[in-house]
Amino acid sequence: MQQFLNETPVSFVIFVFTIATSVYAFYNPSLYGRLMLHPYSVSRGKSIFQLLSSGFVHKDWQHLIFNMLSYYFFAFNLERAIGHWQFALLYLLSLILSDLPTVQQHKNHYNYHSLGASGAVCAVLFSYILFSPFSSLFIIPIPFPIPAIVYGVLFLVYSSYASRHANDGINHDAHFYGAISGVLITVLLYPQVIQYFISTVGAKFGI
């Protein structure tokens, strides 16, 4: 455990804090309401902290488990690959950037709220894909391993569908913007990853 904490302290703290905060908020409605993203208020300079705090609460157990499983698959390995402060920067900045389009879109909708770590989790996922696009994952209930890059595409397809059809308070649009944020931040930190990704994909298909 000590070695694990030494190797991935940032991703471990975020993982534990997100689960603890989400579970506590499930049973504390007033806190739950304060931490959710309220674009109407944020766009008017109020409750700016919600750009971050909304990423540490979730709608229900299913939402929390889905996000934390995705996080678990990628975050710890990504921190080992890019470094501690780099991972913290990517995760927290992606939380904010993935919410900004939602704030703009719903700035005049007083009754709109959203929550979830999906934007930052998607940033972690797509950052990881740049470094290891064909690592195999076992995703329940799929009975066979799938490459990380395929998982990423399926994740975005689901997010696109849910953003159009779901009315559940989950910020599904943040998935797309989180993915873009994750890729851009990773490329800014490690420009050489573009060539690495292209050569890895090319080698896989014999190009």
Side-chain angles (χ1 to χ4, degrees), residues 15-32:
F15 184 66
V16 172
F17 185 75
T18 302
I19 293 174
T21 304
S22 294
V23 174
Y24 183 71
F26 288 160
Y27 304 99
N28 190 326
S30 61
L31 176 66
Y32 188 82

Side-chain angles (χ1 to χ4, degrees), residues 14 18 55-56 71 87-95 117 120-121 124:
I14 290 174
T18 302
F56 293 96
Y71 181 94
F87 182 88
L89 176 67
L90 182 142
Y91 192 88
L92 297 176
L93 187 56
S94 294
L95 267 182
V121 171
V124 168

Side-chain angles (χ1 to χ4, degrees), residues 38 59 77 89 109 179 187:
H38 187 216
K59 177 177 174 60
N77 287 330
L89 176 67
H109 302 158
V187 170

Side-chain angles (χ1 to χ4, degrees), residues 126-169:
F126 278 82
S127 176
Y128 179 85
I129 286 173
L130 290 175
F131 291 98
S132 188
F134 297 104
S135 59
S136 296
L137 302 170
F138 282 93
I139 310 296
I140 299 172
I142 301 174
F144 51 84
I146 61 174
I149 193 169
V150 174
Y151 179 84
V153 171
L154 293 176
F155 196 95
L156 284 184
V157 169
Y158 162 75
S159 300
S160 176
Y161 173 84
S163 68
R164 294 194 303 270
H165 299 284
N167 186 23
D168 50 14

Side-chain angles (χ1 to χ4, degrees), residues 61-139:
W61 284 101
Q62 180 180 351
H63 184 208
L64 174 63
I65 291 171
F66 180 77
N67 267 346
M68 290 301 96
L69 276 177
S70 298
Y71 181 94
Y72 177 82
F73 290 140
F74 304 106
F76 301 107
N77 287 330
L78 180 62
E79 183 177 354
R80 292 188 185 99
I82 67 174
H84 306 314
W85 71 264
Q86 294 92 336
F87 182 88
L89 176 67
L90 182 142
Y91 192 88
L92 297 176
L93 187 56
S94 294
L95 267 182
I96 296 172
L97 293 177
S98 63
D99 274 343
L100 290 179
T102 300
V103 171
Q104 177 62 29
Q105 181 180 356
H106 296 284
K107 63 182 180 181
N108 295 318
H109 302 158
Y110 183 81
N111 292 322
Y112 181 88
H113 296 77
S114 70
L115 75 176
S118 301
V121 171
C122 229
V124 168
L125 164 59
F126 278 82
S127 176
Y128 179 85
I129 286 173
L130 290 175
F131 291 98
S132 188
F134 297 104
S135 59
S136 296
L137 302 170
F138 282 93
I139 310 296

